[in-house]
Amino acid sequence: MKDLLVFIALFLTTLSFTSCSKEEIYTPIDMYMMATRFDPKVEEVRIVDPSRSLSCDHYFEGCIKNSPKRFKIRLVEMVVVQFHNSGYACKAALKLNQYYTRNWLFDDVTDEPVLEDFVKKVWDAKNPKKPEDCN
């Protein structure tokens, strides 16, 4: 009985933290599922050339280590980067003149109509133009 009460208390505590969270994030699985539901041909591009490798060194504060990946969408490549929160993702998008949604940055998208259309439709991505857009 005591174990059941401890389990219920832990469950309710976890539930309260989850439901009170103001920030909504997407997990890598969320992102992938949303993309492939929209277009099943989305694929990750495996990097074999070290000169094309990606790291957080390119993406400012808040980038999650090993998260930058290249994806091919409708024959055009883009980079997808996970951040700790939407503030970091938005600030990176602002600096790079690119798109973001929640805690994710989409790089190499601006001025690529196919990719701009995709990220807007699938993830409701935005391209911030001034610092106030990231508040």
Side-chain angles (χ1 to χ4, degrees), residues 17-111:
F17 281 122
T18 304
S19 63
C20 292
S21 174
K22 293 179 184 178
E23 173 117 41
E24 291 185 28
I25 62 168
Y26 286 132
T27 67
I29 298 294
D30 295 333
M31 295 293 288
Y32 183 75
M33 295 303 292
M34 292 168 77
T36 56
R37 260 188 247 126
F38 190 84
D39 182 351
K41 295 179 183 175
V42 170
E43 62 183 281
E44 184 176 352
V45 176
R46 298 292 175 180
I47 306 300
V48 291
D49 179 0
S51 69
R52 294 188 69 212
S53 68
L54 300 166
S55 75
C56 282
D57 296 340
H58 301 100
Y59 293 106
F60 315 109
E61 183 181 8
C63 174
I64 294 178
K65 186 177 180 181
N66 299 322
S67 74
K69 306 274 189 265
R70 278 187 204 280
F71 282 87
K72 188 180 289 185
I73 312 288
R74 302 176 189 159
L75 304 177
V76 184
E77 287 185 24
M78 72 176 188
V79 177
V80 180
V81 183
Q82 184 179 13
F83 284 80
H84 288 286
N85 61 48
S86 63
Y88 288 131
C90 184
K91 288 174 187 167
L94 179 65
K95 288 177 187 176
L96 297 169
N97 187 30
Q98 293 298 325
Y99 286 79
Y100 83 102
T101 189
R102 297 189 184 182
N103 56 312
W104 292 84
L105 167 73
F106 306 107
D107 195 6
D108 298 336
V109 170
T110 299
D111 297 327

